[in-house]
Structures are given as structure tokens and as C-alpha cells.
Amino acid sequence: MFSWWKSQRELPFSDSLKHVIRRSREEALRLYNDYIGPEHLLLAILAEPTGRGALLSADFGLTFDVLLARLPEPGRPGR
């Protein structure tokens, strides 16, 4: 990946960011996507309902379930 990483397994980020990146990959795979996009990162953030990002987004009516409902179904083009 990036030459400044010590290894491909080690991410030079905080534990919470590593968790979001890993969770976004899981969301991408669950949605049958072969990439990690902003929607997957946001789903990963919203998946932790007590996290700062999820709490702030909930104040504006955006939750994990709301975002998931707005995404296209796997294998279908976007809305």
C-alpha cells in the first residue's frame, strides 16, 4: 500500500479509526461492493450508536437504519 506503513497489516491510525475502517470493509462486503466508499465509512460510524458521530448524526435524523434504507439494494443501480 503506502510505503510509509511499516507493514500492510499495521494501520498508522488510532484504534477507533482502525475499527471504523475495518467495519466499513465489512459493510462494503455485506452490500456486495468491491470498494469502500463514503457510504460504507458512514455506515461504520453510524453502527456504533453511542459514538460521537452517530449521536451527532442522530440529532439530524440520520441513523444506521435510515442510511441503509436509502442505499440501493445489492446488485442494483443507485437511486
Side-chain angles (χ1 to χ4, degrees):
M1 283 208 168
F2 297 102
S3 61
W4 44 268
W5 284 8
K6 293 179 183 173
S7 74
Q8 290 186 339
R9 293 186 180 267
E10 183 180 334
L11 298 175
F13 305 121
S14 69
D15 288 341
S16 59
L17 181 55
K18 289 177 190 178
H19 178 74
V20 167
I21 293 170
R22 287 185 186 111
R23 177 67 190 252
S24 64
R25 181 178 178 271
E26 292 170 11
E27 292 300 331
L29 292 172
R30 189 170 64 84
L31 294 170
Y32 301 101
N33 296 137
D34 59 355
Y35 63 92
I36 296 174
E39 65 274 25
H40 306 116
L41 290 166
L42 190 51
L43 280 170
I45 291 168
L46 297 176
E48 300 295 329
T50 58
R52 286 185 225 161
L55 292 172
L56 178 63
S57 298
D59 288 344
F60 294 95
L62 181 61
T63 64
F64 180 89
D65 293 330
V66 168
L67 178 59
L68 192 58
R70 296 291 301 155
L71 293 175
E73 292 182 31
R76 294 179 56 194
R79 298 181 198 186

